[in-house]
Amino acid sequence: MIELIVTIVIAGMFVGFLALMFVNGLQAQEQATARDTATGRANVVSSQLHSSIRHAATIRVSESGTRVDATVAQVSSTLTWECRAWKLSGGSLYYSVGATARPANIVTGRNPIATGLTGILGSGAGFQQGTGSVEAQKRLTIGMDVAAGGQTVRLSDAVTAQVVIQGSAPTC
């Protein structure tokens, strides 16, 4: 009888350890998935901003640092210009593109390109434009925390508008 009780206690401890390892494995998987989601969102934001800003002739960051407007060169058989704008609002990043200057409110009626974002450049700013020379003003600093499922990834980057205007481009 004592042997049976000892066997049951040892088996119970073994099952308990297995259950604990299983639960820890599930928690680690959830954290990894959340971290991967946040990293993916950060990569989408970074990739889109880099691609557009590198092909921009001018950029302008709002005083609050929550909106960027760029005049972007599009080259196919001829050169055309696009006005692109990004707005960080309510933890989401919104995007608008068109042939003319983007409206003041690009949030209403649009789906965000990424969620879970918080500006980290002071007072909720996610963008900062360089100051000083014309070349310095073409530099865009990006600073955001990207959160998903309790995990946060920091997006801290910079990109420079590289297109030189010969002639005229639209004012965006």
Side-chain angles (χ1 to χ4, degrees), residues 48 52-53 55-60 67-74 80-86 94-104 106 110 165 168-172:
Q48 188 185 68
S52 292
I53 300 302
H55 294 99
T58 62
I59 62 169
R60 185 179 68 247
R67 180 174 169 144
V68 177
D69 288 274
T71 306
V72 180
Q74 292 294 305
T80 58
W81 296 97
E82 284 185 342
C83 295
R84 298 183 185 181
W86 295 265
Y94 297 87
Y95 172 68
S96 178
V97 60
T100 59
R102 303 294 69 215
I106 65 169
R110 296 190 191 281
I165 298 176
S168 62
T171 303
C172 293

Side-chain angles (χ1 to χ4, degrees), residues 37-38 40-46 49 86-94 112-120 124-127 142-148 152-155:
T37 299
R41 289 178 187 168
N43 286 340
V44 165
V45 170
S46 178
L49 284 166
W86 295 265
K87 172 75 173 163
L88 183 60
S89 177
S92 297
L93 185 64
Y94 297 87
I113 60 170
T115 58
L117 306 173
T118 305
I120 60 169
F127 308 106
I142 306 160
M144 298 178 205
D145 278 343
V146 185
T152 301
V153 172
R154 180 147 291 181
L155 172 58

